[in-house]
Amino acid sequence: MKTQSLLKKILVGTLLLTGCTKLDENAYDEMITDNFYNNRNEVVSAVLRPYTHANAWVTPSGQDGWWRPAELSGDQLAWPTKGRHGEDGGKWKRLHYHAWTVDEGGLNNAWSLMYWGMGLCNDPIENLEKRDVAAMGITEEEKAAYIGELKLLRAFHYLKLMDLFGNIPIVTQVGEPAQPETRSRQDVFNFVESEILENINQAPKLSREMLGRMSQAGAYAMLVELYLNAEVWTGTARWDDCIAAADHLINGDGGAQNGIMALDPNIIDTYNTTNDLSKEVIFSIAYDYTTANFQPSWPSEFYHFKQREIYGGGRNGNDGIVVIPGVFTNYSDQDLRKREWLLEGPMYNFGTGVPVTGSEEYNGQPLVFVDNIRKNKSGSTVSNMSEGEENSGVRFNKYKLGNQVVGIDGTPVDPNYNNTDWNIYRLSWIYFAKAEAIMRKNGGVATQEAVTLINECRKRAFSDSDWPANAYTTSTLTMDELLAERGREFIFEGFRRDDLIRFGKFTTESWWDHQPSDPTKALFPIPQRQRDLNPNLQQNPGYN
C-alpha cells in the first residue's frame, strides 16, 4: 500500500464530489458554510476540498474542464467519431477544427468548474482570516500556512482560466461582487504573479506530507509557466525570470516530494501506481483508491470498451481520445517512449495472452490499434474526424493503473492498483522551460547549457547503446526540434496548445485534416451563458 500523505488520510472522511456537474449557475457565489471550522479536522477538510474538485477540471476526468480544450485543439490528440460512437453533437470536431462557438456547452462547463474551484479557495481563505486560531484548534503558524497554500492554489485556478479565456474577472470574496467586471489579461497576469510572490514563503515547502497539495515548489512551477508564456499573455518577454524560477526548483529551494528534487531515472516511475514515490513530481492530483475509494478519472477518456482485458484491470472507457495520425511516427523506433507510453498494433489479454477482440466494427475479430483514422474494414482511404472505427488511432498508455490479475508472463497482482496520481508539474517540464528560455534569449539558437538540460531528460528514453546517436547537439537542437521533442515528452500532459501558440503555430499550421484558423482562435470565447448571467463580461475579439 502507498505511504499516505495527510491529503490521502483526510480523503477517507471527506465528501468527494468527483462529479461536479451542476454548472448552469453563476459560479462566483458558491459557498461551503459559515458554521464550520470548529476543530482541526473541519479546517483541514475545508483546506483540502478544492483539491478533490480540481480532479474534475485540471485532469482528463471525463468532464469538460481545462484539459480537454487545452489538448484536443492541438496537433497531437483528437476524439474522432468511430462508427456509432463519439459524434457527441460535433463538439470534438469543433475543438479539432477550431470551429467552436460562443455557445459551446463544454467551454461553459470549463469556465464554471474553474470558477467553482476558485470559490472553494475563497471560502476557507475568508473564514480562516476572520477566525481566532484557538476556536479552530490550530496555531497561528498553521493558519498562516493554510492561507498561503490556498492563495497559491487560487492563483493556479486564475492562471489556467487566463490561459484559456484571457480576459476574465478577478474575484477574491465569495459572491462579491455578484457580477464582476472583465479584467484584462495583463491585470490577471499581474494578480497571479503578485499572489504567488506574496505567499510563496508563507506556504510549506514540498514534502511527503504535502503530496498532492500546493507548496512552495508548486508556486515556483507556476512562476515558470507564467514567465514562459509572458510574451504571449502580456506582450513582454520574461525569459530571465523564467530561468530564475526554474533554478529555484532545480536547486531544491521549494522542497521535494521524496527527499531531494531530481529527475526520475527512467520513463516509468513518474507514471506508475507508485508514482507518489517519484522524485521529480512537483504538483499532482493525488488518488488513493485503496483506502479512500478515490480513483483516477482518465480511463473514461482514453480506454477502449474492452481495455481491462489489455491491462488486466477492472476499468474500461469510452473509446474516445486517440493520437492523431502521424504523431506515432514522430518517435524513432529506438525511442522507448514509443512503445511504453503508446499502444499500437494487436492487443492481447493480460492474463491469458489470447488476442483481445473488438466489440463494434471488429466484433469477434482481433482488436488492432492502427495509426490511421479511416474505415479500413470497407477499404476506404478517406481520413478525417468522421471516418473512424473502434480500432482507429494509436492509444494512451503513459499512465498505468496496474493489474488485478496475474500476467501471462508471471507479473503479480499490483497491490497499488488504481492509485496512480496525475502529474500537473514535474521537473522535466521545468528543464524544458529553462532550456527554451535560454534559446529564446539567444535568438533561437541552442547553447550547450540548453542542450544539456534537454539531453538529461531525453536520454532516459533510449538504451545506453542507442543514446549516443540520439543525443542533441547545439546544431541539432533547433527551435522546431525543441517543439517536436516537447510533443514527444509531454504528450497527454495538457501543454500542447500553449506550446503551439508560443511557437507561432497554433493558428497558422496544418496537421492531419486540420487547416489553419483565424488568429483570434488563440483565445477561447467567453461563454455566452456566462455573459447572459453577467452582463459585465466582455467578449474576446473575433467572437462578437
Side-chain angles (χ1 to χ4, degrees):
M1 183 184 299
K2 284 184 176 181
T3 302
Q4 291 185 338
S5 67
L6 177 60
L7 174 59
K8 294 192 174 188
K9 292 175 183 176
I10 292 296
L11 286 178
V12 179
T14 301
L15 179 63
L16 301 181
L17 298 179
T18 55
C20 303
T21 55
K22 189 178 181 183
L23 305 174
D24 55 348
E25 299 106 357
N26 189 306
Y28 311 123
D29 60 355
E30 292 288 348
M31 293 195 300
I32 301 174
T33 180
D34 220 20
N35 185 26
F36 202 56
Y37 306 90
N38 297 313
N39 55 61
R40 179 185 295 273
N41 283 343
E42 290 185 355
V43 170
V44 174
S45 293
V47 171
L48 297 184
R49 178 63 185 92
Y51 294 103
T52 62
H53 178 82
N55 166 67
W57 68 265
V58 77
T59 76
S61 67
Q63 298 190 59
D64 289 309
W66 164 82
W67 188 92
R68 283 178 172 176
E71 280 287 8
L72 298 184
S73 60
D75 64 350
Q76 290 192 305
L77 306 178
W79 191 323
T81 301
K82 305 182 199 71
R84 63 194 179 105
H85 297 284
E87 182 63 23
D88 297 335
K91 62 189 292 187
W92 313 121
K93 294 175 184 177
R94 291 193 294 276
L95 272 177
H96 176 74
Y97 295 127
H98 295 187
W100 50 77
T101 71
V102 298
D103 296 313
E104 295 293 336
L107 293 176
N108 180 68
N109 287 355
W111 174 286
S112 296
L113 280 171
M114 286 189 274
Y115 267 108
W116 186 351
M118 175 272 299
L120 293 172
C121 296
N122 281 341
D123 184 84
I125 290 171
E126 289 183 55
N127 277 282
L128 286 168
E129 286 181 334
K130 72 184 181 182
R131 292 174 184 269
D132 180 71
V133 293
M136 295 187 288
I138 60 175
T139 67
E140 288 288 355
E141 291 76 13
E142 288 173 325
K143 175 180 176 177
Y146 289 145
I147 292 172
E149 174 185 352
L150 286 164
K151 286 187 175 181
L152 291 175
L153 185 58
R154 181 175 66 186
F156 177 69
H157 286 73
Y158 276 113
L159 189 155
K160 295 303 187 183
L161 278 159
M162 174 179 63
D163 168 26
L164 294 185
F165 300 107
N167 310 303
I168 58 173
I170 299 173
V171 183
T172 58
Q173 291 182 287
V174 175
E176 295 182 22
Q179 295 182 329
E181 295 183 352
T182 299
R183 300 283 291 274
S184 71
R185 205 179 207 182
Q186 177 74 67
D187 285 347
V188 182
F189 183 100
N190 293 343
F191 170 76
V192 172
E193 181 184 26
S194 64
E195 284 285 282
I196 296 171
L197 295 177
E198 290 171 11
N199 291 283
I200 190 169
N201 292 322
Q202 187 166 296
K205 290 182 180 292
L206 179 58
S207 66
R208 186 70 191 170
E209 283 299 300
M210 291 298 291
L211 188 152
R213 294 169 61 180
M214 184 57 71
S215 65
Q216 289 186 24
Y220 283 124
M222 282 194 288
L223 287 176
V224 173
E225 182 173 7
L226 201 67
Y227 297 141
L228 183 66
N229 294 289
E231 188 169 32
V232 171
W233 290 350
T234 71
T236 302
R238 301 281 293 273
W239 307 123
D240 285 328
D241 290 328
C242 179
I243 293 168
D247 282 340
H248 279 294
L249 285 163
I250 294 170
N251 295 335
D253 296 342
Q257 183 170 280
N258 291 287
I260 299 173
M261 183 73 69
L263 295 176
D264 286 330
N266 55 57
I267 62 170
I268 298 172
D269 289 354
T270 320
Y271 309 101
N272 63 17
T273 59
T274 56
N275 65 347
D276 60 316
L277 301 177
S278 166
K279 289 185 174 296
E280 78 166 69
V281 173
I282 296 168
F283 179 45
S284 64
I285 302 300
Y287 299 100
D288 187 5
Y289 179 72
T290 304
T291 60
N293 200 32
F294 186 42
Q295 66 183 5
S297 301
W298 43 262
S300 65
E301 302 281 83
F302 300 116
Y303 281 4
H304 185 269
F305 303 126
K306 299 179 70 174
Q307 190 87 13
R308 64 186 181 187
E309 296 182 27
I310 299 170
Y311 76 98
R315 303 182 65 186
N316 292 319
N318 295 319
D319 198 34
I321 296 170
V322 304
V323 177
I324 285 175
V327 172
F328 184 68
T329 57
N330 287 338
Y331 293 85
S332 75
D333 288 340
Q334 296 175 331
D335 193 327
L336 302 176
R337 296 170 297 189
K338 186 173 188 176
R339 295 298 173 182
E340 186 63 44
W341 291 356
L342 303 169
L343 285 179
E344 184 265 352
M347 296 295 109
Y348 298 95
N349 186 289
F350 184 85
T352 67
V354 303
V356 174
T357 57
S359 59
E360 296 292 321
E361 292 85 2
Y362 295 89
N363 186 27
Q365 301 176 49
L367 181 64
V368 181
F369 293 141
V370 295
D371 187 23
N372 60 64
I373 298 172
R374 60 180 185 241
K375 298 188 184 300
N376 292 301
K377 194 170 185 180
S378 64
S380 173
T381 59
V382 177
S383 179
N384 59 46
M385 284 285 286
S386 300
E387 296 295 311
E389 298 175 315
E390 67 169 311
N391 67 338
S392 294
V394 174
R395 306 302 172 97
F396 169 95
N397 195 44
K398 194 171 192 177
Y399 284 80
K400 309 294 197 297
L401 278 187
N403 54 290
Q404 294 177 298
V405 300
V406 176
I408 184 82
D409 60 355
T411 302
V413 171
D414 189 339
N416 296 294
Y417 171 74
N418 218 15
N419 283 336
T420 312
D421 300 339
W422 184 269
N423 305 321
I424 307 302
Y425 293 118
R426 59 186 178 97
L427 190 60
S428 297
W429 188 83
I430 302 301
Y431 273 49
F432 271 74
K434 180 179 178 181
E436 182 180 332
I438 290 171
M439 291 175 67
R440 290 189 183 278
K441 282 187 61 182
N442 197 42
V445 177
T447 66
Q448 188 55 53
E449 183 180 11
V451 168
T452 299
L453 286 164
I454 302 302
N455 278 343
E456 283 296 304
C457 302
R458 178 175 164 85
K459 69 180 180 181
R460 301 173 298 179
F462 295 88
S463 67
D464 291 343
S465 59
D466 288 336
W467 172 239
N470 287 281
Y472 286 126
T473 66
T474 53
S475 60
T476 60
L477 185 61
T478 63
M479 290 299 289
D480 282 344
E481 182 57 30
L482 178 62
L483 177 62
E485 181 63 9
R486 285 190 67 91
R488 289 185 284 264
E489 178 67 20
F490 302 110
I491 190 169
F492 306 115
E493 296 191 33
F495 296 106
R496 193 58 180 176
R497 170 181 167 272
D498 282 348
D499 290 349
L500 292 172
I501 291 172
R502 203 170 56 254
F503 280 76
K505 297 181 183 294
F506 184 68
T507 61
T508 62
E509 296 293 308
S510 301
W511 50 83
W512 182 36
D513 67 332
H514 169 94
Q515 299 300 314
S517 58
D518 190 271
T520 58
K521 299 298 183 178
L523 276 180
F524 289 103
I526 306 301
Q528 186 57 46
R529 197 174 309 174
Q530 297 301 320
R531 297 189 70 209
D532 292 341
L533 292 166
N534 178 6
N536 289 326
L537 294 179
Q538 299 177 20
Q539 187 55 271
N540 285 326
Y543 294 105
N544 287 313

